[in-house]
Amino acid sequence: MSAEKYLQMMQQDIHTVIFATTDENHFPVTCVIDIMLSDKDGLYFLTAKGKAFYERLKNQPFISITGMKGADTLSSKSITLRGEVREIGQQRLSEIFEKNPYMEVIYPNRESRTALTVFQIYKGSGEFFDLSRKPIFREQFSFGGMGNHASYFFVTDKCNGCNLCANSCPQNCIDISACHAKIKQEHCLHCGKCKEICPLQAVERRTL
Ligand SMILES: Cc1cc2nc3c(=O)[nH]c(=O)nc-3n(C[C@H](O)[C@H](O)[C@H](O)COP(=O)(O)O)c2cc1C
């Protein structure tokens, strides 16, 4: 699926997410924030200029966010992404109130809305993770020109096709139809069992 579709899922299906920022001592701080809009250029959220959250964003414009949807663990899907934000002020504020009418209960009149400002997550990379599918499904995405540096396990040419890794994989995601094992990356848990069990050290952790 495209990055734009995952951003849309974050805004429409998940909507309320956990944001991590850092304070003036570089300590992580989390808080709950709603994703108000999404488009091909990123995600948009708002906050009030008096909040400590606003100060943290202005001092360190880097965020990591996670959102999930599902009744319980085995029916849940999550999206995690990290990226950079910029303040766009009151641009798109009317559109945000039109598309998220519940905001009128919190900020009921024009005067109270002058405290608000909008931020755009304009570049980022992330991952969709779906525990409701068997085997599990995961996919990386990025937008705004940010690279993706996720790590993954890879079987090198040292493999002699002994199948020990395939037999120990909890998601049965190692293809042994050829004489060389191949990990189906979209179904891999990243548990590392294949690397641990390989007698030839043929499995390596790599970074995209
Ligand atoms: C469901 C929910 C959604 C929220 N959405 C927002 C939001 O979109 N923007 C915002 O500034 N605060 C939002 N809040 C409030 C913040 O989480 C709260 O103000 C935050 O803890 C402030 O952190 P701070 O005190 O570090 O500034 C929301 C809270 C909840 C429970």
Side-chain angles (χ1 to χ4, degrees):
M1 211 157 83
S2 67
E4 192 175 349
K5 285 277 171 207
Y6 282 126
L7 297 180
Q8 195 179 63
M9 190 188 286
M10 195 72 143
Q11 190 260 318
Q12 288 179 2
D13 303 342
I14 299 176
H15 195 68
T16 299
V17 307
I18 304 298
F19 263 68
T21 50
T22 47
D23 70 10
E24 67 277 16
N25 299 313
H26 310 292
F27 274 38
V29 186
T30 56
C31 64
V32 182
I33 299 293
D34 284 356
I35 302 295
M36 301 296 186
L37 302 172
S38 76
D39 61 23
K40 66 174 179 25
D41 299 318
L43 294 173
Y44 303 81
F45 60 95
L46 60 72
T47 192
K49 284 177 273 183
K51 290 196 182 194
F53 176 56
Y54 176 78
E55 283 301 309
R56 295 194 297 275
L57 291 171
K58 293 302 283 182
N59 290 338
Q60 292 282 346
F62 306 105
I63 52 87
S64 179
I65 66 181
T66 295
M68 61 172 272
K69 194 86 185 160
D72 56 22
T73 301
L74 289 182
S75 64
S76 290
K77 303 159 197 238
S78 71
I79 298 179
T80 292
L81 73 83
R82 59 183 182 165
E84 291 186 40
V85 301
R86 64 179 161 218
E87 185 176 5
I88 61 167
Q90 295 230 326
Q91 268 180 63
R92 306 195 72 171
L93 194 61
S94 326
E95 187 186 351
I96 287 179
F97 272 75
E98 269 162 39
K99 294 199 172 141
N100 302 276
Y102 67 88
M103 284 303 294
E104 287 172 17
V105 177
I106 308 170
Y107 289 93
N109 55 50
R110 266 181 199 285
E111 188 50 35
S112 62
R113 288 175 207 167
T114 60
L116 296 175
T117 187
V118 179
F119 281 83
Q120 176 190 17
I121 305 174
Y122 66 99
K123 61 157 84 164
S125 66
E127 183 179 72
F128 171 69
F129 193 102
D130 188 350
L131 265 185
S132 72
R133 285 167 64 168
K134 287 180 190 41
I136 65 100
F137 177 80
R138 71 195 310 158
E139 189 172 36
Q140 317 285 327
F141 63 90
S142 62
F143 59 97
M146 185 147 156
N148 204 317
H149 302 292
S151 67
Y152 63 101
F153 289 95
F154 180 82
V155 185
T156 66
D157 288 342
K158 287 192 215 161
C159 172
N160 68 357
C162 77
N163 293 349
L164 272 177
C165 59
N167 293 336
S168 69
C169 174
Q171 292 292 314
N172 287 322
C173 76
I174 302 184
D175 180 2
I176 46 166
S177 54
C179 54
H180 182 286
K182 188 166 187 287
I183 299 171
K184 295 177 201 162
Q185 297 298 338
E186 71 278 23
H187 300 307
C188 175
L189 279 175
H190 296 177
C191 71
K193 186 67 203 171
C194 51
K195 182 173 180 347
E196 185 188 301
I197 207 165
C198 178
L200 300 174
Q201 285 83 49
V203 184
E204 287 177 354
R205 181 196 282 279
R206 290 190 175 176
T207 304
L208 280 177

